[in-house]
């Protein structure tokens, strides 16, 4: 099993919108082959910091979920998310 931590920092005042956006990804991610879990967390110390925690069987399963995501929808969602972000998101794997 691997964990994927995705870190997002919202523009101040846009935290709720970013949380809502992150939740819109839940159905697709949880239904992807190899997904073992999906959680969205907001920092108690910095409420602009939001983490999406994904559990996967392996990195290949995670990458396949990205590769299979409809490209036009992904582009549309990226455009919706960008104004909510204070800085580019980051992500890393843990095993």
């Amino acid at each position: 099993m691997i964990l994927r931590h995705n870190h997002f920092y919202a523009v101040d005042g846009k935290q709720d919108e970013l949380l809502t956006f992150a939740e819109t990804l839940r159905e697709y991610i949880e239904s992807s082959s190899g997904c073992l879990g999906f959680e969205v967390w907001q920092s108690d110390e910095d409420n602009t910091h939001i983490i999406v925690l994904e559990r996967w069987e392996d990195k290949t399963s995670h990458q396949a979920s990205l590769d299979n995501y409809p490209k036009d929808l992904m582009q549309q969602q990226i455009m919706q998310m960008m104004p909510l972000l204070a800085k580019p998101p980051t992500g890393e794997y843990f095993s």
Side-chain angles (χ1 to χ4, degrees):
M1 179 178 77
I2 60 108
L3 299 176
R4 173 77 183 176
H5 287 204
N6 303 288
H7 299 265
F8 300 90
Y9 288 87
V11 171
D12 195 31
K14 299 288 187 178
Q15 298 90 315
D16 289 343
E17 288 179 64
L18 188 55
L19 283 166
T20 299
F21 174 82
E23 285 293 338
T24 67
L25 304 174
R26 178 181 299 279
E27 183 178 347
Y28 175 79
I29 292 172
E30 287 184 333
S31 69
S32 295
S33 179
C35 180
L36 304 173
F38 176 89
E39 301 173 30
V40 178
W41 295 89
Q42 186 174 23
S43 171
D44 289 340
E45 286 78 35
D46 176 2
N47 69 359
T48 68
H49 186 191
I50 295 163
I51 294 176
V52 174
L53 172 62
E54 303 171 54
R55 285 188 286 291
W56 293 91
E57 289 178 3
D58 51 37
K59 287 182 186 179
T60 303
S61 297
H62 176 252
Q63 190 58 52
S65 76
L66 295 174
D67 293 344
N68 294 328
Y69 201 79
K71 302 302 178 226
D72 57 333
L73 180 57
M74 183 182 291
Q75 196 66 7
Q76 179 185 17
Q77 288 178 322
I78 288 171
M79 296 304 291
Q80 290 173 342
M81 181 179 59
M82 294 309 288
L84 306 177
L85 297 175
K87 60 184 178 180
T90 61
E92 57 190 311
Y93 291 103
F94 294 83
S95 55

